[in-house]
Amino acid sequence: ENKHEEKVQDPDRGKDETKAEMGSKTWADLAGEMKIFLWNPEERTCLGRTAKSWGLILLFYFVFYTCLAGMFAFCMYVMLLTLSPYTPRFRDRVSPPGVMIRPYLNGFTIAFNVSQPNTWQPYVDSMHHFLAAYDDKVQEEKNIECVSGQYFIQGGDDSEEKKACQFKRSLLQNCSGIEDPTFGYSKGQPCILLKMNRIIGYRPGAGVPVSVDCKVQKGNESHLRSVDFYPGNGTFDLMYYPYYGKFTHVNYTSPLVAMHFTDVEKNHLVPIQCSLNGKGIINDLNSDRFLGRIIFTLSIGK
């Protein structure tokens, strides 16, 4: 009883004795204990468990994670049943469209010197590469002629392949690269192409073609004195809409508007804003410079 009382009165004494015993062990003793822990030949245990114990616990985790994977796969399967591969389920945040320009090489600054072909040749090569899909022969082989001035609405099942209207590069006239293979860059009168982003089912302009205009975004407005637009007066014809998606509208080629900057102030940085105009178009949202408009800089040296 007295010894028991001493242990109760001095609990730290037992800890000190345990530490002393551990401190007296050699590295060989510790290695031996570790070896026994890894494999105990007497009890035939590995890491403290028998083969039966290891088998049961591995079986438990196999069944557990198999059930989790099955539940995840089932949930994904049910979710995919609610989606269509042809039409997005929610399209309330993608209208109106954004726009993009070509050529697009080094950001939104198009800078070159007329007297130095190596400065403008990359832009010319980029234009030819982009317009290869718009070659007249390619369009005649893949697409059909449509009625201008009205939407090309196609019925049928969502999975049915849709026809696409021809957009020939010859429609771009002076900016087609046919008569002038340099697209005006060799003369200091560059062509730039404007393209609307594709939106499935979108009908721009509410029955009236969307047009394009360009102006100096900031600075001296006289630095941009003349711009020609192709085709026509710089509009996106309604016959190229609506777009039905890449799975069914396989041969669809987006319509373009070419902007021919025939008279721009030389040796100046000229910031230009080109905007879409039409019903339902938003082009003045400061937080998005690509929504309904595009801002780029022309720097043409002599």
Side-chain angles (χ1 to χ4, degrees), residues 85-86 158-162 243-250:
Y86 308 105
D158 288 343
S159 60
E160 183 180 342
E161 185 173 334
K162 303 297 190 293
Y243 170 61
Y244 288 95
K246 64 179 181 180
F247 290 111
T248 55
H249 230 157
V250 180

Side-chain angles (χ1 to χ4, degrees), residues 73-224:
F74 177 74
C75 290
M76 290 294 295
Y77 174 73
V78 173
M79 184 190 70
L80 291 175
L81 288 178
T82 66
L83 302 178
S84 170
Y86 308 105
T87 305
R89 185 175 180 84
F90 300 105
R91 292 178 288 173
D92 57 333
R93 299 186 63 183
V94 293
S95 299
V99 293
M100 193 59 184
I101 60 170
R102 292 292 188 278
Y104 177 75
L105 296 179
N106 303 310
F108 294 96
T109 297
I110 298 176
F112 63 93
N113 291 324
V114 178
S115 59
Q116 299 176 4
N118 63 303
T119 61
W120 48 259
Q121 190 61 46
Y123 297 112
V124 173
D125 294 339
S126 176
M127 292 280 279
H128 279 295
H129 178 74
F130 177 74
L131 288 174
Y134 292 85
D135 285 342
D136 289 16
K137 290 184 179 180
V138 173
Q139 289 293 310
E140 290 172 358
E141 292 175 358
K142 292 184 176 182
N143 299 328
I144 64 172
E145 293 186 3
C146 300
V147 179
S148 178
Q150 64 184 40
Y151 296 119
F152 185 31
I153 300 174
Q154 303 177 62
D157 190 74
D158 288 343
S159 60
E160 183 180 342
E161 185 173 334
K162 303 297 190 293
K163 298 178 181 179
C165 298
Q166 296 177 5
F167 189 97
K168 300 178 180 179
R169 67 185 298 174
S170 58
L171 294 173
L172 302 176
Q173 300 179 35
N174 293 340
C175 288
S176 65
I178 298 175
E179 295 182 2
D180 180 7
T182 68
F183 299 95
Y185 284 82
S186 62
K187 304 174 184 177
Q189 300 177 342
C191 288
I192 297 177
L193 306 177
L194 188 72
K195 179 178 75 73
M196 260 196 286
N197 293 343
R198 300 178 182 182
I199 300 176
I200 295 178
Y202 181 62
R203 304 179 190 180
V208 179
V210 174
S211 61
V212 179
D213 67 28
C214 296
K215 62 181 180 180
V216 174
Q217 192 258 341
K218 183 185 294 185
N220 192 337
E221 295 183 0
S222 64
H223 286 175
L224 179 61

Side-chain angles (χ1 to χ4, degrees), residues 149 151 203-211 235-238 277-279 281:
Y151 296 119
R203 304 179 190 180
V208 179
V210 174
S211 61
T235 59
F236 292 93
D237 200 297
L238 299 179
N277 298 291
K279 188 174 182 180
I281 297 294

